[in-house]
Amino acid sequence: MDRGGDAKRERRSDEDRLSNLPESLLCQIMLNIPTKDVVKSSVLSRRWRNLWRYVPGLNVEYSEFLDYNAFVSFVDRFLGVERESCFERFRLRYDCDEEERTISNVKRWINIVVNQKLKVLDVLDYTWGNEEVQIPPSVYTCESLVSMKLCNVILPNPQFISLPLVKAIELDIVKFANALVLEELISSCSALESLIISRSSVDDIDVLRVRSRSLLRFKHIGNCSDGWDGCEVAIEAPKLEYLNISDHSTAKFRIKNSGSLVEANINIIFNMEELPDPNNRPKRKMIQDFLAEISSVKKLFISSHTLEVIFDLSCELPVFHNLSSLHIDFEDHSLTMLSTFLQSCPNLKSLVVEFKDSSEEDGVGVLSIPRCFSTTLEYVKIERPITGEARGMKLVSYILENSAILKKLTLSLKSSREKEESVILKELLTISRLSTSCKVVVSEPRSCWVLA
């Protein structure tokens, strides 16, 4: 049996199928492959010899080359090829000791591709701590640009901005020539739909204003460990559907015209690392106003850190009338925090709970029963394992004994020193259920039990 011959014929068959594809489709496939590998494909056959010249994009990392000169020579050679079509994608990753030459070369390369009707600009500078590349102003008037992703670079002061097709912007630890550059960039992109900003103290922006009539998705990440006492984020985007904020540093968040909001992921503490002053009325009002503006959401994740600030300041919760899906993390806080928040969710259908099981008593007697337990709640998932300790069993009992139309409770188990999984299962079976149709699904990596 000629296994070697069969393998060769199989490889040849695969190559033939690939070679028979239209040239335009091959070039699109190659667009998603590192350009150095694309160029290597020229040795496959005569047809492939010059195909790399027609690939409308560059995808290259400095780490793929033996030295800096080889890196520069390769990029220059690729960009020097004359193309009839537009340059769809420029993806560059670099970490070079040749600081001055790198700054000059990157700016020169960006200017070249911008003049070739660039669609996607993706530049990441790994040389943390050194002098950053300042993106050339020509990017601001690249009217073919659709997406821009920049990391560890500087955006200059614009003379004029014309980016009518830009739909997505992602900025990771980017510096700005002045505090108004980012605001002007956002408001000037009339087709902008997705904005992701990961910030640190290097951007020197006290008030980040996100004003956009077209924005649908906004993610804000704050990475400053020192805190920004005087800093705020102000959002005015009437079409915004998705909001994701993870920031323990910024002191103030404001949002206006948020009636289109569908989903929110909130992990913020409003720069309150220390125990909040319950008499801080301005801070309380700001948080209450923020919560009121996101209260139209249908799907919400809220972190234990945010909950802690809300309850420590005795903030008045709005009613989340539209909320049908809630993912709530209350870590090792009292179950009262959970029941109180659920009182503001009268139409909740799906609940995911994260908490830390422990042997300590919760310290609360009778918990209030939210309206959704009687009328709408159908699915509950407890995200972290139940170990059979007092706190976890109390949470399970609270849900099962008070949810009238619950269809399924999903949880997982973890043996503790005191209790094996079989013992915990027996205890679960003794808990009464208000809903006669409720199934308790105990899922494990290797097994699953349904306690009908």
Side-chain angles (χ1 to χ4, degrees):
M1 190 172 178
D2 186 7
R3 293 182 180 177
D6 289 343
K8 286 181 180 178
R9 281 191 291 273
E10 202 171 305
R11 283 197 299 270
R12 194 180 301 120
S13 175
D14 290 340
E15 289 172 11
D16 290 342
R17 279 198 294 268
L18 195 58
S19 295
N20 287 332
L21 293 174
E23 190 171 280
S24 59
L25 182 55
L26 280 173
C27 288
Q28 284 299 316
I29 293 171
M30 289 177 153
L31 193 59
N32 298 297
I33 299 172
T35 306
K36 199 172 182 184
D37 293 334
V38 170
V39 174
K40 287 178 182 178
S41 70
S42 61
V43 301
L44 291 176
S45 67
R46 183 178 297 176
R47 188 194 175 193
W48 290 77
R49 186 173 300 164
N50 292 310
L51 197 58
W52 66 271
R53 294 173 175 267
Y54 303 102
V55 177
L58 179 75
N59 179 356
V60 68
E61 296 195 23
Y62 172 68
S63 60
E64 298 171 344
F65 297 86
L66 292 174
D67 57 48
Y68 184 76
N69 288 333
F71 169 61
V72 173
S73 176
F74 181 89
V75 177
D76 280 342
R77 183 187 174 202
F78 191 87
L79 296 183
V81 175
E82 291 188 13
R83 292 176 176 82
E84 294 181 2
S85 60
C86 66
F87 204 87
E88 290 192 19
R89 187 180 303 168
F90 181 73
R91 182 181 183 274
L92 181 68
R93 303 286 186 269
Y94 57 91
D95 177 5
C96 315
D97 294 329
E98 302 279 350
E99 195 170 295
E100 290 185 12
R101 291 174 64 192
T102 300
I103 291 172
S104 173
N105 283 323
V106 173
K107 292 172 73 172
R108 177 172 59 85
W109 293 333
I110 292 175
N111 279 325
I112 290 172
V113 294
V114 162
N115 289 329
Q116 296 182 27
K117 297 182 179 179
L118 180 67
K119 289 186 177 180
V120 177
L121 177 64
D122 183 353
V123 177
L124 195 158
D125 183 347
Y126 285 120
T127 54
W128 303 102
N130 296 333
E131 187 176 351
E132 297 90 350
V133 170
Q134 179 165 291
I135 299 298
S138 60
V139 169
Y140 289 135
T141 53
C142 182
E143 297 192 342
S144 59
L145 198 65
V146 174
S147 173
M148 177 164 56
K149 182 178 180 180
L150 304 173
C151 177
N152 196 31
V153 296
I154 301 172
L155 277 172
N157 190 32
Q159 297 281 330
F160 176 69
I161 298 178
S162 180
L163 297 168
L165 300 181
V166 168
K167 289 187 175 183
I169 295 176
E170 183 173 348
L171 305 176
D172 187 3
I173 318 299
V174 170
K175 293 182 181 179
F176 306 95
N178 63 60
L180 296 177
V181 170
L182 181 54
E183 181 180 344
E184 190 174 348
L185 174 63
I186 295 168
S187 61
S188 297
C189 295
S190 57
L192 185 64
E193 294 180 356
S194 174
L195 176 63
I196 300 174
I197 302 175
S198 183
R199 302 174 61 198
S200 74
S201 55
V202 301
D203 65 24
D204 292 327
I205 297 176
D206 291 333
V207 181
L208 170 58
R209 292 185 175 86
V210 178
R211 293 173 177 166
S212 172
R213 293 185 176 276
S214 59
L215 191 65
L216 301 177
R217 300 175 63 85
F218 176 48
K219 183 175 183 178
H220 178 277
I221 303 169
N223 292 313
C224 180
S225 58
D226 299 330
W228 296 318
D229 288 326
C231 293
E232 69 174 273
V233 174
I235 305 164
E236 188 170 359
K239 291 185 178 180
L240 193 67
E241 296 176 356
Y242 174 80
L243 176 66
N244 187 330
I245 304 177
S246 180
D247 186 335
H248 287 196
S249 306
T250 302
K252 188 175 183 180
F253 286 90
R254 290 187 292 118
I255 182 169
K256 292 173 61 178
N257 300 328
S258 58
S260 299
L261 202 60
V262 175
E263 182 176 351
N265 188 317
I266 307 300
N267 178 17
I268 49 183
I269 62 171
F270 308 95
N271 193 28
M272 300 184 74
E273 289 286 357
E274 304 297 328
L275 188 65
D277 177 5
N279 297 315
N280 190 337
R281 292 183 180 179
K283 179 73 79 171
R284 183 190 302 128
K285 184 179 186 309
M286 180 270 296
I287 295 173
Q288 289 176 170
D289 290 346
F290 175 81
L291 293 172
E293 281 292 339
I294 67 168
S295 63
S296 64
V297 295
K298 295 179 180 179
K299 187 174 182 180
L300 175 66
F301 169 87
I302 189 162
S303 76
S304 62
H305 306 291
T306 306
L307 283 174
E308 186 175 9
V309 172
I310 290 171
F311 282 90
D312 284 347
L313 280 174
S314 301
C315 293
E316 184 177 332
L317 290 169
V319 178
F320 294 86
H321 286 289
N322 300 329
L323 191 65
S324 61
S325 177
L326 173 65
H327 188 146
I328 189 166
D329 179 3
F330 66 100
E331 193 65 19
D332 53 1
H333 301 303
S334 169
L335 286 173
T336 305
M337 189 179 288
L338 173 66
S339 63
T340 302
F341 195 90
L342 290 176
Q343 292 283 5
S344 299
C345 311
N347 299 306
L348 194 67
K349 289 185 177 181
S350 175
L351 172 65
V352 177
V353 179
E354 290 189 43
F355 84 116
K356 186 185 291 184
D357 201 357
S358 73
S359 58
E360 295 180 12
E361 290 290 337
D362 195 84
V364 177
V366 179
L367 294 168
S368 61
I369 311 303
R371 174 183 158 186
C372 63
F373 274 29
S374 303
T375 57
T376 58
L377 189 64
E378 296 179 348
Y379 303 98
V380 177
K381 181 179 181 180
I382 299 175
E383 195 84 332
R384 298 182 191 173
I386 298 292
T387 61
E389 305 287 2
R391 194 160 181 269
M393 298 308 288
K394 184 170 184 176
L395 173 61
V396 174
S397 299
Y398 174 61
I399 294 167
L400 289 177
E401 291 173 358
N402 298 291
S403 301
I405 63 168
L406 191 66
K407 293 180 179 179
K408 184 167 76 171
L409 169 64
T410 304
L411 52 84
S412 60
L413 304 181
K414 183 179 180 182
S415 298
S416 64
R417 292 179 181 177
E418 289 77 18
K419 294 181 181 179
E420 294 295 327
E421 289 179 3
S422 58
V423 176
I424 303 172
L425 276 172
K426 288 178 182 178
E427 290 187 13
L428 289 173
L429 285 168
T430 65
I431 300 172
S432 62
R433 305 176 202 177
L434 184 59
S435 171
T436 56
S437 60
C438 177
K439 293 181 179 179
V440 178
V441 178
V442 182
S443 61
E444 294 294 326
R446 296 180 180 177
S447 58
C448 181
W449 299 281
V450 178
L451 311 181

